[in-house]
């Protein structure tokens, strides 16, 4: 690349996010930073944003990110010497339905486990805090005293001013027209003012991010839709300390505005997806005409809650484009396709997140780690299918409209469904499958044939509608025989000279040895944290199949590929192989009826992998599974999958063979003590903390993370299993108390249908890990909990190895 000049770090986009990243880079001493803005600072969605700041999210790390934003806002005016109009007046969130009240009470419970200040208040208290509301129908409310609102333009200018003081250059009126790449690196950017080489490129281009990503060959699942809010006429009696207000059941938010007016917006159905998800570069500080039909969808409900709106007019309607990702959450981190191209886009609440997101991105860029477990925001949760314009538009519109909807436990997306289907999809549908979706795959959650009276109805505080159907499927797994379609597993091939040695350096387990076995392992980072949790199938000399979760394929495949030596290439074979799990105490005799392979325990022990024939079809049979029962995972070329499924169903008919879904898997894995990456284990947890030391081969030689594990002190916390007799409404995140004090929160939770217990995992301080006397709070009710063994079911592995 022939460049006119060079910058170490080039940031594309000078909105709130881009300027916040520059601010934090400068704050950490990085001077050689260039921010390029095609128009002027804030001229994307920043300038017309409402500016509400809310912190409480569903997970500790995400709440911490928003808390970090507030900490930045608290100091930014003083640092920059510029007013930001930061008003820390708190926020009030109303519940006008029982379901919303359950959701809010759950969020406050989560806040308690985070150590974050949030309070439940009565309708009368809410009325005193916001006198203009009509409290009819209000069940209760949440009060968060450290929330507030900020001027989007002012805060972005303050970020920019502070960044410039630290040596950052910000150039306006410079449009990026191309990104030059070579291999796995971005060499620099081409602009209408010349070429700039760079060591690192950051895509913070707001609703242009998808176009910028495409220039670098990086698919970005950040869409763009219309969003409206209106500003009332002045003259309302609004005290300076009036709190912000959200009434999600009436689908509106409100913040005080200048001169005794209010800014009121909502997240209505039917917003307009824009520009085929490819925003034009010549669009800058512009707005669209008001859409009054859509405005009514939140304006009329707002007037019901705030009768004063019936007596005051609308001064201005703001209707502009905003970014919305395929799941409504931001997209952050290193792009999986390149080694030096970062994404910081898809921020629907970009103003509120800017301070914390800028800090996390600066840490990621300079230190390789955001400092938080940000998997729900991680760019690697998406793949190329999610960035296709038609699919992205449908999902972005759905995510937008869902912003204030009740988020039920186990809820599923409805837009963009049916994209990826197992070869068994039709057969499972005929068998009564109720499908969910993961990474575009249609997967059976449960089967209506398991209980015709069951419904696909979620619940916060009671048993969900599918409870009895899942119980029947678990019973088949534990007492008889079941089939589970797990084709959506992400699958990668690694073969060729040096493959075994390479995997042995990447994985924590010992990968050496003869072919014909399955190896359960973690992949660790340099700090000993768990970056991946997967299975490696050793098929032949220097021939391996790597299997991980449906939603983790981009992340895990990328983690492995970055560490491979030259000459080895990871191949994604997910779509080439179906996976059918036959499990249960009768699994061996059913499989034996359609295979001439020796399936005895002596010939085919636990963790073995063999090529066999099932019916008339080839399959790689692996003695492993995620339900903790005798069984085999069968890896079958897709064209043979239907035949194998039909042969097994016929062979097991006399034994009452049953189809089972992913909700049954979840119940069984909790009973067995099997962990789930992103919930129970993460880059912030080590194998020793999680009780996975058995899967780490410290004596095999060097591997990624070994030095950190060897140097580590005894773990300060340990993962334990806690149980409550019978059903309790645990959904994960509930607070664990000991001696009346919060000591942990549940990482996973659910009902163990076979054991008749509600089960939760939690990281307890090491000094408490062997104690009893715990209480778990859920929806304001304390439940006495017993600390049990890590594995509640078949702890000696007798059934699994039968």
């Amino acid at each position: 690349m022939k460049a006119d000049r060079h910058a170490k770090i080039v940031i594309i986009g000078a909105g709130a996010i881009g300027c916040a990243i520059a601010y934090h880079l400068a704050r950490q001493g990085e001077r050689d930073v260039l921010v390029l803005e095609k128009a002027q600072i804030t001229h994307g969605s920043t300038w017309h944003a409402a500016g509400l700041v809310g912190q409480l999210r569903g997970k500790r790390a995400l709440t911490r990110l928003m808390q970090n934003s507030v900490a930045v806002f608290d100091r930014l005016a003083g640092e920059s010497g510029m007013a930001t109009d930061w008003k820390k007046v708190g926020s009030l969130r109303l519940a006008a339905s029982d379901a919303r009240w359950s959701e809010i009470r759950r969020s406050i419970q989560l806040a308690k486990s985070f150590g974050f200040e949030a309070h439940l208040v009565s309708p009368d208290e809410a009325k005193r805090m916001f006198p203009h509301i009509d409290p009819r129908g209000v069940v209760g409310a949440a009060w968060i005293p450290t929330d507030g609102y900020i001027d989007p333009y002012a805060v972005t200018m303050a970020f920019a001013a502070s960044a410039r003081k630290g040596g950052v250059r910000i150039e306006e009126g410079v449009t990026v027209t191309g990104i030059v790449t070579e291999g796995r690196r971005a060499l620099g950017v081409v602009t209408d003012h010349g070429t700039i080489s760079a060591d690192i490129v950051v895509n913070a281009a707001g609703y242009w991010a998808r176009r910028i990503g495409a220039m670098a060959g990086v698919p970005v699942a950040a869409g763009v839709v219309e969003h409206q809010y209106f500003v009332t006429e002045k003259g309302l009696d609004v005290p300076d300390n009036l709190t912000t207000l959200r009434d999600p059941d009436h689908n509106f938010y409100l913040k005080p505005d200048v001169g005794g007016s209010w800014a009121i917006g909502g997240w209505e159905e039917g917003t307009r997806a824009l520009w085929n998800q490819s925003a034009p570069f010549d669009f800058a500080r512009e707005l669209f005409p008001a859409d009054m039909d859509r405005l009514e969808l939140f304006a009329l409900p707002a007037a019901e809650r705030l009768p004063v709106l019936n007596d005051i007019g609308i001064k201005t309607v703001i209707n502009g484009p905003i970014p919305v990702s395929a799941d409504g959450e931001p997209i952050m981190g290193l792009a999986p396709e390149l080694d030096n191209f970062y994404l910081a886009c898809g921020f629907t609440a970009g103003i509120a997140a800017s301070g914390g997101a800028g800090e996390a991105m600066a840490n990621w860029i300079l230190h390789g780690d955001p400092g938080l477990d940000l998997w729900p925001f991680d760019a690697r949760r998406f793949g190329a299918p999610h960035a296709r314009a038609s699919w992205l538009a449908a999902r972005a519109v759905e995510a937008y409209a869902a912003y204030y909807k009740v988020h039920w436990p186990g809820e599923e997306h409805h837009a963009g469904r049916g994209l990826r289907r197992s070869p068994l999809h039709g057969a499972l549908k005929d068998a009564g499958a109720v499908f969910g979706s993961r990474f575009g795959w249609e997967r059976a959650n449960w089967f209506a044939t398991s209980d015709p009276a069951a419904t696909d109805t979620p619940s916060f505080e009671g048993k969900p509608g599918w409870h009895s159907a899942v119980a029947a499927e678990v019973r088949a797994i534990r007492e008889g025989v079941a089939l589970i379609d797990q084709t959506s597993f992400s699958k990668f091939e690694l073969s060729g000279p040096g493959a075994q040695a390479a995997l042995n350096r990447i994985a924590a387990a010992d990968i050496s040895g003869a072919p014909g076995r399955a190896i359960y392992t973690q992949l660790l980072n340099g700090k000993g944290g768990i970056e991946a949790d997967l299975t490696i199938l050793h098929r032949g000399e220097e021939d391996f199949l790597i299997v991980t979760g449906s939603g983790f394929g981009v992340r895990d495949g990328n983690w492995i590929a970055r560490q491979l030596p030259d000459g080895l290439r990871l191949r994604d074979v997910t779509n080439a192989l179906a996976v059918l799990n036959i499990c249960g105490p009768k699994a061996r005799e059913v499989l034996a009826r359609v295979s001439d392979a020796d399936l005895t325990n002596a010939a085919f022990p636990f963790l073995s992998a063999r090529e066999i024939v099932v019916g008339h079809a080839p399959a790689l049979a692996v003695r492993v599974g995620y339900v903790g029962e005798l069984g085999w995972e069968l890896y079958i070329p897709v064209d043979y999958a239907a035949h194998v499924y039909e042969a097994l169903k016929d062979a097991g008919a006399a034994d009452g063979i049953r189809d089972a879904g992913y909700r049954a898997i979840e119940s069984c894995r909790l009973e067995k003590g099997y962990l789930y990456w992103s919930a129970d284990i993460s880059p912030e947890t080590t194998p020793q903390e999680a009780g996975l030391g058995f899967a780490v081969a410290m004596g095999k030689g060097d591997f990624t993370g070994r030095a950190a594990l060897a140097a580590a002190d005894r773990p300060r916390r340990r993962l334990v299993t806690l149980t409550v007799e019978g059903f309790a409404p645990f959904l994960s995140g509930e607070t664990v108390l000991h001696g009346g004090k919060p000591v942990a929160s549940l990482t996973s939770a659910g009902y163990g249908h076979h054991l008749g217990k509600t089960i939760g995992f939690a990281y307890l301080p090491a000094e408490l890990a062997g104690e009893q006397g715990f209480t778990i709070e859920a929806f304001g009710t304390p439940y006495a909990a017993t600390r049990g063994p890590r594995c509640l079911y078949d702890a000696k592995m007798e059934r699994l190895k039968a």
Side-chain angles (χ1 to χ4, degrees):
M1 176 184 179
K2 184 178 180 181
D4 300 315
R5 52 194 173 121
H6 177 83
K8 180 179 179 181
I9 301 171
V10 170
I11 300 172
I12 303 170
I17 298 297
C19 289
I21 296 169
Y23 159 80
H24 281 287
L25 288 170
R27 209 164 184 267
Q28 294 195 41
E30 189 58 59
R31 302 286 179 261
D32 191 7
V33 179
L34 173 62
V35 181
L36 300 177
E37 168 55 49
K38 67 179 184 59
Q40 293 179 293
I41 295 173
T42 76
H43 278 202
S45 54
T46 295
W47 73 273
H48 62 77
L52 273 79
V53 176
Q55 299 167 83
L56 184 58
R57 303 297 297 261
K59 292 192 176 182
R60 181 193 308 266
L62 306 186
T63 299
R64 279 179 55 198
L65 184 138
M66 306 306 281
Q67 287 179 283
N68 290 346
S69 274
V70 167
V72 172
F73 298 156
D74 285 344
R75 68 172 186 255
L76 184 59
E79 284 184 1
S80 64
M82 299 179 66
T84 60
D85 198 26
W86 167 224
K87 306 291 187 184
K88 193 188 266 190
V89 294
S91 70
L92 190 65
R93 180 180 291 257
L94 306 180
S97 65
D98 290 338
R100 184 74 62 184
W101 186 228
S102 292
E103 184 182 51
I104 284 180
R105 287 159 57 223
R106 173 167 162 73
S107 72
I108 298 300
Q109 181 66 61
L110 292 170
K112 183 175 182 178
S113 71
F114 298 160
F116 177 73
E117 185 182 3
H119 307 277
L120 293 173
V121 299
S122 69
D124 288 343
E125 289 173 305
K127 172 73 172 175
R128 285 194 293 271
M129 298 170 72
F130 203 103
H132 298 87
I133 68 171
D134 180 346
R136 283 181 295 181
V138 174
V139 183
W143 163 245
I144 301 173
T146 55
D147 284 352
Y149 60 98
I150 198 166
D151 182 272
Y153 179 85
V155 72
T156 305
M157 287 300 185
F159 281 136
S162 291
R164 282 171 166 148
K165 285 181 182 179
V168 170
R169 291 166 292 154
I170 301 177
E171 297 184 6
E172 299 171 286
V174 178
T175 301
V176 173
T177 59
I179 298 175
V180 180
T181 62
E182 183 177 275
R184 291 190 52 86
R185 295 192 65 80
L187 302 183
V189 299
V190 180
T191 79
D192 56 357
H193 284 64
T195 57
I196 306 163
S197 60
D199 299 331
I200 291 168
V201 178
V202 183
N203 179 358
Y207 54 77
W208 294 278
R210 184 170 173 271
R211 285 193 68 178
I212 295 295
M215 293 177 185
V218 173
V220 178
V224 54
V225 303
E226 282 187 12
H227 177 59
Q228 293 188 118
Y229 66 92
F230 64 89
V231 180
T232 67
E233 292 176 342
K234 297 180 180 180
L236 286 165
D237 181 15
V238 179
D240 290 341
N241 64 345
L242 183 68
T243 182
T244 61
L245 178 69
R246 295 170 177 84
D247 185 345
D249 288 311
H250 283 69
N251 199 21
F252 77 91
Y253 61 78
L254 178 154
K255 73 156 190 174
D257 211 74
V258 296
S261 60
W262 289 334
I264 299 175
W267 305 93
E268 74 282 0
E269 294 278 0
T271 189
R272 189 163 63 107
L274 298 169
W275 300 306
N276 196 32
Q277 304 305 292
S278 186
F281 284 147
D282 59 0
F283 192 94
R285 193 179 172 90
E286 300 173 61
L287 294 171
F288 303 117
D291 185 330
M292 300 309 291
D293 289 337
R294 286 201 347 258
L295 194 78
E296 284 186 354
L297 296 178
F298 61 86
L300 294 181
E304 291 179 2
R305 180 64 65 213
L306 302 163
V308 69
L309 291 179
N310 295 302
D311 302 320
I312 194 166
I314 293 176
K315 177 185 175 184
T316 308
V317 175
I318 307 295
N319 185 18
I322 63 167
V324 180
S325 78
D327 62 4
E329 299 288 9
I331 301 171
M332 298 173 65
L334 191 60
E337 294 79 9
L338 297 171
D339 293 334
N340 65 334
F341 187 80
Y342 288 84
L343 302 175
C345 50
F347 285 85
T348 303
I351 306 302
S354 59
E359 182 178 28
M361 288 302 305
N363 290 336
W364 230 325
I365 292 164
L366 297 179
H367 312 300
D369 186 334
L372 301 165
D373 174 18
L374 293 182
W375 169 243
F377 291 175
D378 197 300
R380 293 169 292 179
R381 75 188 189 275
F382 292 131
H386 304 110
R388 293 173 189 146
S390 59
W391 192 92
L392 177 58
R395 272 292 175 91
V397 168
E398 180 185 59
Y400 174 93
Y403 207 77
Y404 274 177
K405 290 182 178 178
V406 172
H407 293 288
W408 293 96
E411 68 180 354
E412 294 282 352
H413 292 288
H414 299 287
R417 292 292 295 270
L419 181 64
R420 306 177 79 181
R421 304 182 190 187
S422 157
L424 304 179
H425 180 271
L428 299 182
K429 183 177 180 180
D430 292 343
V434 179
F435 290 100
S437 177
R438 180 63 59 90
F439 209 77
W441 286 97
E442 293 294 308
R443 310 192 314 180
N445 281 337
W446 60 280
F447 287 80
T449 46
S450 298
D451 182 356
T455 62
D456 201 33
T457 308
S459 176
F460 281 107
E461 302 186 51
K463 295 177 180 178
W466 54 76
H467 185 86
S468 56
V470 173
E473 293 167 25
V474 169
R475 189 159 52 250
I477 292 169
R478 292 284 186 243
E479 300 175 6
V481 58
L483 289 177
I484 308 174
D485 179 20
Q486 296 181 295
T487 297
S488 64
F489 276 159
S490 296
K491 302 170 280 284
F492 300 90
E493 284 184 348
L494 185 70
S495 61
Q500 188 171 57
L503 285 177
N504 225 14
R505 287 191 297 271
I506 297 169
D510 190 354
I511 311 301
S512 64
R517 66 190 184 114
I519 304 118
Y520 170 61
T521 187
Q522 289 77 50
L523 311 184
L524 308 181
N525 56 36
K527 297 179 181 179
I530 300 171
E531 291 286 344
D533 182 73
L534 45 76
T535 303
I536 298 175
L537 308 181
H538 192 176
R539 299 186 300 189
E541 294 295 335
E542 302 286 14
D543 180 14
F544 297 87
L545 183 68
I546 302 164
V547 183
T548 188
S550 311
F552 305 141
V554 173
R555 179 191 175 96
D556 295 356
N558 181 251
W559 182 263
I560 295 169
R562 288 180 190 277
Q563 299 184 69
L564 291 176
D566 292 341
L568 283 175
R569 186 173 66 87
L570 200 64
R571 294 178 296 279
D572 189 337
V573 295
T574 299
N575 297 341
L577 294 170
V579 183
L580 188 58
N581 182 8
I582 181 169
C583 53
K586 297 181 180 179
R588 177 179 284 118
E589 53 193 275
V590 172
L591 182 57
R593 291 171 190 155
V594 289
S595 178
D596 57 5
D598 187 346
L599 302 177
T600 62
N601 199 47
F604 211 132
F606 182 60
L607 295 180
S608 295
R610 307 269 194 276
E611 292 284 351
I612 69 171
V613 174
V614 182
H616 310 303
L620 173 64
V622 185
R623 183 94 183 270
V624 72
Y626 199 42
V627 295
E629 203 65 64
L630 170 68
W632 282 262
E633 288 178 356
L634 304 174
Y635 291 78
I636 312 157
V638 292
D639 46 333
Y640 294 114
H643 168 76
V644 171
Y645 173 79
E646 291 165 2
L648 291 171
K649 284 296 285 284
D650 290 345
D655 295 294
I657 194 168
R658 183 181 293 279
D659 292 294
Y662 274 79
R663 300 207 190 282
I665 294 176
E666 177 69 4
S667 178
C668 290
R669 74 99 181 171
L670 287 168
E671 294 182 333
K672 188 61 180 172
Y674 288 160
L675 307 183
Y676 185 69
W677 191 90
S678 77
D680 310 309
I681 48 179
S682 75
E684 293 189 322
T685 55
T686 67
Q688 286 82 354
E689 292 173 325
L692 295 173
F694 68 90
V696 179
M698 291 295 288
K700 71 170 181 175
D702 194 29
F703 59 89
T704 303
R706 186 189 185 284
L709 296 184
D713 296 327
R714 287 186 176 182
R716 296 181 181 179
R717 59 177 188 162
R718 292 190 181 277
L719 189 69
V720 304
T721 302
L722 299 167
T723 63
V724 171
E725 292 297 325
F727 178 84
F730 296 170
L731 304 169
S732 83
E734 289 76 15
T735 304
V736 180
L737 300 101
H738 190 265
K741 297 180 180 179
V743 294
S745 57
L746 298 185
T747 58
S748 284
Y751 186 66
H753 285 273
H754 179 73
L755 298 178
K757 301 175 187 286
T758 302
I759 303 165
F761 302 148
Y763 284 94
L764 294 177
E767 63 272 17
L768 293 178
E771 298 293 321
Q772 292 290 356
F774 295 97
T775 301
I776 300 173
E777 282 190 3
F779 301 102
T781 300
Y783 295 83
T786 301
R787 181 199 50 76
R790 275 285 295 108
C791 177
L792 298 171
Y793 178 78
D794 189 28
K796 295 181 180 180
M797 310 280 274
E798 293 170 338
R799 294 173 66 88
L800 194 62
K801 297 181 178 181

